[in-house]
Amino acid sequence: MLATKTDVERSDEETDDRIGLNRDSLADQIYAKLRSALMTARYEPGSRLSIRKLAATFNTSPTPVREAVMQLVREGALELRSGYQPIVPVLSIAQYIKIRDTRIPLERLAAELSTVNITEEGIRHIREINDKWMQFEAEGDWQAAIAANHEFHFTVYRASMNDILVRIIENLWMLSYPVVYYQYRNIRLSRSGVHPHLLLIDALERRSPAEAGEMAVRDLREGSSRIIELLNSNRENPKQKVI
């Protein structure tokens, strides 16, 4: 006997109820985790996401995973083509530059506002995060370095006390950050002079909004220049993986 739609839905609900969550709250949690993964470049451009594999990873039915994925599709963070699994978009250089140029004034503003609102304890915490980031880069642990870089910037931006601004910046990072893996995966960064992170921390300590905003923008521009250079040198689509 074929299962009816009601039977399938009831089975999904029973699966989700076993871990004490209704489907909506579970879908929200999965959405948040996938969103965070996209913002920290855990998925490469061109990677295909298997809903059933993700359901097994989250120990739930496919239904809340599918709902979370469809929300990300609506936001442009994933693509869904007829007959295929959802895919992490492969941005063109032009698309990446548009996102970067949109981020610049927003991240400048967030850093400027944070300079006014951040506490001394918050500045110490940001310095500790930056120390972790530098350690991960020195060790060649690129995934941890990307996550620490994300934590650094958003700890600064959340100190702006403007949750709407931070949410918009998060959305833009989610759209653009899968390409960042190029920067860490393919080259070991060589630096000369003082890194913008340290200059940003110094501006926060001296309560200089204009300098803090400028250092946030400088860090973004320097990183994006390396990414664009690598994208230009590697025009072929990344090899697809199912996650």
Side-chain angles (χ1 to χ4, degrees):
M1 178 180 178
L2 293 176
T4 67
K5 184 176 180 180
T6 303
D7 292 334
V8 173
E9 290 178 344
R10 185 180 300 112
S11 175
D12 283 354
E13 288 171 358
E14 290 172 353
T15 300
D16 298 338
D17 287 344
R18 282 199 292 272
I19 59 175
L21 294 167
N22 65 50
R23 192 184 304 170
D24 288 341
S25 63
L26 187 55
D28 289 342
Q29 288 193 20
I30 294 169
Y31 164 81
K33 290 177 180 178
L34 291 175
R35 191 169 184 268
S36 176
L38 288 164
M39 281 193 290
T40 53
R42 290 187 60 190
Y43 298 143
E44 299 176 5
S47 296
R48 291 177 291 124
L49 276 64
S50 166
I51 289 176
R52 291 205 172 275
K53 286 186 177 181
L54 287 171
T57 299
F58 293 122
N59 192 28
T60 185
S61 70
T63 300
V65 175
R66 189 175 296 108
E67 291 172 0
V69 164
M70 291 308 299
Q71 178 63 29
L72 291 167
V73 170
R74 288 190 290 271
E75 293 175 358
L78 296 174
E79 293 179 354
L80 189 61
R81 301 167 186 170
S82 179
Y84 291 91
Q85 294 166 318
I87 189 172
V88 179
V90 180
L91 294 180
S92 68
I93 294 175
Q95 289 171 320
Y96 174 73
I97 290 173
K98 286 179 182 179
I99 296 170
R100 180 204 64 186
D101 289 349
T102 305
R103 286 173 53 189
I104 285 172
L106 299 175
E107 295 188 34
R108 183 192 296 275
L109 176 60
E112 291 174 348
L113 294 174
S114 296
T115 309
V116 177
N117 294 311
I118 198 166
T119 64
E120 293 298 326
E121 181 181 355
I123 294 172
R124 285 194 296 272
H125 180 49
I126 288 167
R127 191 176 289 279
E128 290 171 356
I129 296 169
N130 190 63
D131 289 342
K132 288 194 304 181
W133 171 75
M134 293 177 67
Q135 178 183 345
F136 292 139
E137 277 216 339
E139 294 171 350
D141 188 344
W142 308 129
Q143 188 60 61
I146 291 170
N149 182 65
H150 174 272
E151 184 183 5
F152 174 88
H153 283 279
F154 280 94
T155 301
V156 173
Y157 299 156
R158 290 188 187 104
S160 69
M161 308 300 291
N162 188 324
D163 57 336
I164 296 174
L165 177 60
V166 172
R167 181 74 177 186
I168 294 171
I169 296 172
E170 285 179 340
N171 288 342
L172 292 169
W173 275 53
M174 179 174 64
L175 295 178
S176 65
Y177 240 59
V179 304
V180 173
Y181 93 98
Y182 284 110
Q183 179 181 347
Y184 287 91
R185 179 173 176 169
N186 294 330
I187 60 173
R188 189 177 185 86
L189 301 181
S190 59
R191 305 191 187 280
S192 59
V194 181
H195 191 274
H197 280 194
L198 296 175
L199 295 173
L200 174 54
I201 294 169
D202 179 64
L204 293 171
E205 289 177 331
R206 291 185 292 103
R207 308 293 174 173
S208 176
E211 289 184 51
E214 185 58 32
M215 288 307 106
V217 171
R218 176 178 159 185
D219 188 33
L220 172 54
R221 286 192 181 278
E222 289 184 1
S224 68
S225 294
R226 289 187 290 267
I227 293 169
I228 291 168
E229 181 181 353
L230 285 163
L231 288 171
N232 273 320
S233 65
N234 185 14
R235 293 281 187 169
E236 295 182 1
N237 288 336
K239 186 177 180 181
Q240 289 191 341
K241 296 180 180 180
V242 179
I243 300 171

